[in-house]
Amino acid sequence: MADPKPTDPAADAARHAQKMAKKKAARDRIMATKAGEKGLIIVHTGAGKGKSSAAFGMILRCIAHGMPCAVVQFIKGAWDTGERRLIEGNFGDLCQFHAMGEGFTWETQDKARDIAAARRGWDKARELIRDPAIRMVLLDEINIALRYDYLPVAEVVAFLEAEKPPMTHVVLTGRNAAPELIEIADLVTEMTLVKHPFRAGIKGQPGVEF
């Protein structure tokens, strides 16, 4: 087998620079067509981990930009989470945090109680979304409340379409997002499960799961 031809570092660098220049020119042409802004409906769904984590990342971006924001937790309200400690302890002036849920349905084992908690959460969410001063509202795990029929999907969709202020972002997280919600969303991300430590007997851990 013949030895590979020796490479010319200067020629390689020149080819790379030319290739990247073409990519940048193409990217600049695309970006030149994107000038609009609007408040987005954002859905994080799927079986994989990271739906709420990614949403809280956006909340922290809002805080960093000095943008008022709010969180309504529909299921995990009884949990002592890191994100709740961080926001309430350091950024309460910019981000309201409302933990309305009482745990997953198999923990409460009381459907009427779960429906009442979801309704309280949705009432608070509507109040926050209607406030044009609040730039982003995270509805954490609302998809679970919708999946179990604790809230009517049609009511949530109708409200977002009719009453969300034009520049307010609303983020909805949780598995099994309703097709009607996906239809009206501007941005939908599905987290795909490839591997999860829970299947290997590892429990949820601080800093990773909560």
Side-chain angles (χ1 to χ4, degrees), residues 52-198:
S52 295
S53 301
F56 276 105
M58 287 191 289
I59 286 290
L60 290 178
R61 285 176 180 164
C62 286
I63 291 170
H65 285 290
M67 297 163 57
C69 50
V71 176
V72 179
Q73 287 194 311
F74 281 81
I75 301 296
K76 301 173 185 171
W79 293 20
D80 177 22
T81 62
E83 54 266 27
R84 182 176 178 180
R85 288 190 187 186
L86 178 69
I87 291 170
E88 290 186 334
N90 298 277
F91 307 113
D93 57 330
L94 273 175
C95 184
Q96 300 183 45
F97 202 111
H98 300 277
M100 312 299 286
E102 299 186 60
F104 290 98
T105 186
W106 54 84
E107 294 171 338
T108 64
Q109 301 176 21
D110 186 334
K111 185 174 182 179
R113 180 174 160 184
D114 290 339
I115 290 173
R119 174 52 60 182
R120 289 193 300 272
W122 179 233
D123 288 345
K124 174 56 68 174
R126 289 187 298 171
E127 173 191 328
L128 295 166
I129 293 169
R130 285 186 177 119
D131 183 351
I134 298 176
R135 295 297 309 279
M136 177 179 284
V137 180
L138 166 56
L139 308 181
D140 191 37
E141 303 288 7
I142 190 174
N143 289 340
I144 293 178
L146 295 171
R147 179 189 178 192
Y148 284 108
D149 295 322
Y150 298 161
L151 294 170
V153 174
E155 179 183 341
V156 173
V157 168
F159 174 84
L160 292 175
E161 288 188 309
E163 297 196 44
K164 183 185 77 65
M167 294 306 296
T168 300
H169 306 299
V170 178
V171 187
L172 307 96
T173 73
R175 296 186 180 203
N176 303 111
E180 301 95 319
L181 197 57
I182 291 174
E183 178 66 25
I184 68 163
D186 300 286
L187 173 60
V188 179
T189 299
E190 182 173 3
M191 309 294 184
T192 302
L193 177 62
V194 178
K195 293 180 71 174
H196 199 294
F198 187 78

Side-chain angles (χ1 to χ4, degrees), residues 10-29:
D12 282 348
R15 283 192 296 270
H16 177 78
Q18 185 179 37
K19 181 179 179 181
M20 293 301 108
K22 289 181 179 179
K23 284 183 176 290
K24 183 179 185 306
R27 181 67 177 173
D28 288 346
R29 286 193 297 271

